[in-house]
Amino acid sequence: IGGEDTLGAASKLYEKGLPVVGVPKTIDNDLSGTDFTFGFDTAVSIATDAIDRIHTTAESHNRVMVVEVMGRNAGWIATFSGIAGGADVVLIPEKRIDLDEVCDLILRRHSRGKSFSIVVVAEGAKFAETPGTDPQLIVQETKTDEFGHVRLGGISQLLAGEIENRTRFATRWVVLGHIQRGGTPSAYDRVLATRFGMTAIDMILRERWGKMVAL
């Protein structure tokens, strides 16, 4: 039961001859072979609620608010929570950040009488660089975990600084961090996890090893 790294390790165990069945659980929703993983809907709900609350401060203080959400190299959480929370800009790892485009959009909003903007950015998003170069991930530290991943985070602070410098609008940033990973699961995730669990047991009884439950 787990995400890309966990199920990757499970696949290797299966190749060694162990009877293994996979169950997809990750808030990032970045596993191929299934439309949804449980944990994702809960994370989106928490992020959406946070964006709703941030709207209040953004509007009352006439500020641009940059909200950083999780997802590593996938923009699912940013996209879903950004749309659900009514964000004005959503920035994801799958598309490089064009600062000129972002700031132009915010300026156009303000020119139409809007005194605030909400920007949602995924932790793994990258700034567009000179053509032909490889944009770098924004990381908290260069040390890696047991799967070789660096600890992402901090792009919201850099982005907020650039937006304020270019637009001259007061800009603040917030990192939702691990608050997205805990708490009470949504009803959708509870039902999905139950369906996955029942199917996994059925696969075990049928000895359908080396496969992952999927929706």
Side-chain angles (χ1 to χ4, degrees), residues 52-110:
D52 286 344
R53 295 170 186 271
I54 287 167
H55 255 109
T56 305
T57 296
E59 191 167 5
S60 64
H61 290 274
N62 299 330
R63 285 176 178 160
V64 176
M65 299 293 291
V66 179
V67 184
E68 181 177 323
V69 299
M70 285 181 163
R72 289 208 68 82
N73 298 315
W76 288 106
I77 295 176
T79 301
F80 272 57
S81 64
I83 292 172
D88 306 297
V89 181
V90 177
L91 304 169
I92 58 176
E94 292 84 350
K95 189 177 187 301
R96 302 287 182 256
I97 299 173
D98 185 330
L99 281 169
D100 292 333
E101 186 178 2
V102 171
C103 293
D104 181 61
L105 191 151
I106 293 171
L107 287 166
R108 281 189 281 116
R109 263 183 59 79
H110 282 241

Side-chain angles (χ1 to χ4, degrees), residues 113-136:
K114 301 293 185 181
S115 60
F116 71 96
S117 293
I118 303 289
V119 178
V120 174
V121 59
E123 62 182 358
K126 300 177 182 179
F127 292 105
E129 303 287 349
T130 306
T133 63
D134 182 26
Q136 297 296 309

Side-chain angles (χ1 to χ4, degrees):
I1 303 176
E4 184 179 16
D5 294 320
T6 300
L7 296 185
S11 177
K12 292 178 180 177
L13 291 174
Y14 167 70
E15 291 170 1
K16 295 291 186 181
L18 291 176
V20 176
V21 166
V23 179
K25 178 202 71 70
T26 168
I27 67 167
D28 300 338
N29 201 45
D30 60 350
L31 282 170
S32 62
T34 184
D35 286 345
F36 291 103
T37 60
F38 66 94
F40 170 66
D41 185 75
T42 302
V44 168
S45 298
I46 293 169
T48 301
D49 181 66
I51 294 168
D52 286 344
R53 295 170 186 271
I54 287 167
H55 255 109
T56 305
T57 296
E59 191 167 5
S60 64
H61 290 274
N62 299 330
R63 285 176 178 160
V64 176
M65 299 293 291
V66 179
V67 184
E68 181 177 323
V69 299
M70 285 181 163
R72 289 208 68 82
N73 298 315
W76 288 106
I77 295 176
T79 301
F80 272 57
S81 64
I83 292 172
D88 306 297
V89 181
V90 177
L91 304 169
I92 58 176
E94 292 84 350
K95 189 177 187 301
R96 302 287 182 256
I97 299 173
D98 185 330
L99 281 169
D100 292 333
E101 186 178 2
V102 171
C103 293
D104 181 61
L105 191 151
I106 293 171
L107 287 166
R108 281 189 281 116
R109 263 183 59 79
H110 282 241
S111 71
R112 295 196 301 268
K114 301 293 185 181
S115 60
F116 71 96
S117 293
I118 303 289
V119 178
V120 174
V121 59
E123 62 182 358
K126 300 177 182 179
F127 292 105
E129 303 287 349
T130 306
T133 63
D134 182 26
Q136 297 296 309
L137 284 169
I138 308 301
V139 299
Q140 295 184 35
E141 55 187 29
T142 56
K143 292 189 296 184
T144 58
D145 63 16
E146 61 270 27
F147 290 105
H149 300 313
V150 292
R151 186 180 176 192
L152 299 180
I155 192 167
S156 56
Q157 183 176 3
L158 294 176
L159 183 60
E162 288 292 337
I163 290 173
E164 183 164 309
N165 287 337
R166 293 175 182 229
T167 65
R168 312 314 301 171
F169 298 137
T171 306
R172 299 293 183 269
W173 55 276
V174 59
V175 180
L176 298 187
H178 287 82
I179 191 172
Q180 297 158 90
R181 299 184 61 88
T184 305
S186 66
Y188 180 87
D189 271 344
R190 297 181 193 205
V191 173
L192 181 61
T194 301
R195 293 174 66 191
F196 277 169
M198 292 171 64
T199 305
I201 293 299
D202 184 59
M203 290 167 64
I204 290 169
L205 292 174
R206 297 184 182 192
E207 298 185 356
R208 299 183 63 189
W209 313 122
K211 300 181 185 299
M212 182 188 78
V213 180
L215 179 68

